[in-house]
Amino acid sequence: MAKPTTPAQRRVIAGADPVTGRLSGTEAQLTALVRLRLAFRHPRPPHAYFLTPAGHRVREEPEWAVPETAPVEPVPGVFAARTGTEAGSTAAEGPARRREVRDAWLGLVEMRRMTNADADRERPCAWERAHLVQAAAIALEAAGRTPAGPGREGYRVTATPQPDAVAVREPTPGGVRACAEALERAGWQVSEHSERTAPGTAGTAGAAGGPGRYVLVSPRRG
């Protein structure tokens, strides 16, 4: 596959959102990347453009990570998945944030369609399996769950010693159960555990939650 050769195209690729791959640029630049199969246009409004898996690979190649011309300036307000473990306050609340989360989730669903062998939108894709914490956080926030923050209770997504699983915690039994249900709907395998027991010895997500319990989740594969 031919790589883009213009500095403008390289700036667009290098400036893609690091989590969702959402692109910003002129219509001509974005259309050209679609022709190169390095980007796709989401079928639903606002019809945003996102990097394809091939586009992500190009962006991650060392010689392409930085444009040959002027560097890309950091873009204020770039989307970031909220895991509930961030230090300090997070900006962009309200309707603007909800739109960003919705776009991020729709981008992941479209990436599933494009990259899963059977075009299955219900099963996490390779990108999600490689970015477990961020992917789980996007699914939770898109489902209406609230991340923890200063003076605010909510979910917390953290890595675990298991390479294919993350832990999700909430301060209440109802919160634990709601997170489990949201992630199951998003295509994740879910089990509920006590902080005092090892994974594999506790009940499933359908069991009643309680203090000191958490959800262990991994992407469903089949």
Side-chain angles (χ1 to χ4, degrees):
M1 181 189 303
K3 295 179 180 178
T5 57
T6 70
Q9 289 172 342
R10 298 182 187 193
R11 287 196 293 273
V12 170
I13 291 175
D17 185 283
V19 174
T20 66
R22 184 169 181 172
L23 295 163
S24 298
T26 67
E27 191 67 23
Q29 290 168 342
L30 298 172
T31 301
L33 292 176
V34 171
R35 286 198 299 268
L36 291 167
R37 298 185 180 181
L38 298 176
F40 67 91
R41 184 172 184 259
H42 201 280
R44 296 184 182 178
H47 301 298
Y49 289 82
F50 297 85
L51 289 175
T52 62
H56 278 284
R57 288 194 295 271
V58 167
R59 183 172 178 270
E60 292 166 2
E61 290 176 4
E63 67 271 25
W64 283 75
V66 178
E68 292 182 353
T69 57
V72 176
E73 295 296 327
V75 180
V78 169
F79 178 84
R82 290 183 181 168
T83 66
T85 63
E86 294 81 8
S89 61
T90 53
E93 300 289 349
R97 175 64 185 182
R98 288 193 291 272
R99 286 193 297 271
E100 290 178 351
V101 172
R102 175 180 175 273
D103 287 347
W105 173 247
L106 291 176
L108 283 182
V109 172
E110 183 66 9
M111 194 179 297
R112 291 177 177 186
R113 184 189 70 81
M114 295 184 65
T115 60
N116 285 337
D118 53 1
D120 185 2
R121 292 183 174 90
E122 307 300 321
R123 189 176 73 252
C125 63
W127 186 91
E128 292 170 274
R129 292 193 293 273
H131 301 81
L132 294 173
V133 172
Q134 297 96 321
I138 291 172
L140 286 169
E141 195 173 358
R145 304 305 303 162
T146 301
R152 180 182 67 198
E153 293 185 342
Y155 69 75
R156 296 178 184 271
V157 185
T158 56
T160 73
Q162 299 185 39
D164 62 345
V166 295
V168 179
R169 292 173 171 84
E170 271 262 14
T172 66
V176 172
R177 190 176 302 110
C179 286
E181 292 171 353
L183 287 163
E184 282 185 323
R185 290 194 301 269
W188 294 67
Q189 294 180 349
V190 181
S191 59
E192 190 177 314
H193 304 275
S194 168
E195 298 286 2
R196 298 178 296 278
T197 60
T201 63
T204 65
R213 298 185 71 80
Y214 67 97
V215 174
L216 191 69
V217 296
S218 59
R220 182 170 56 82
R221 294 181 178 273

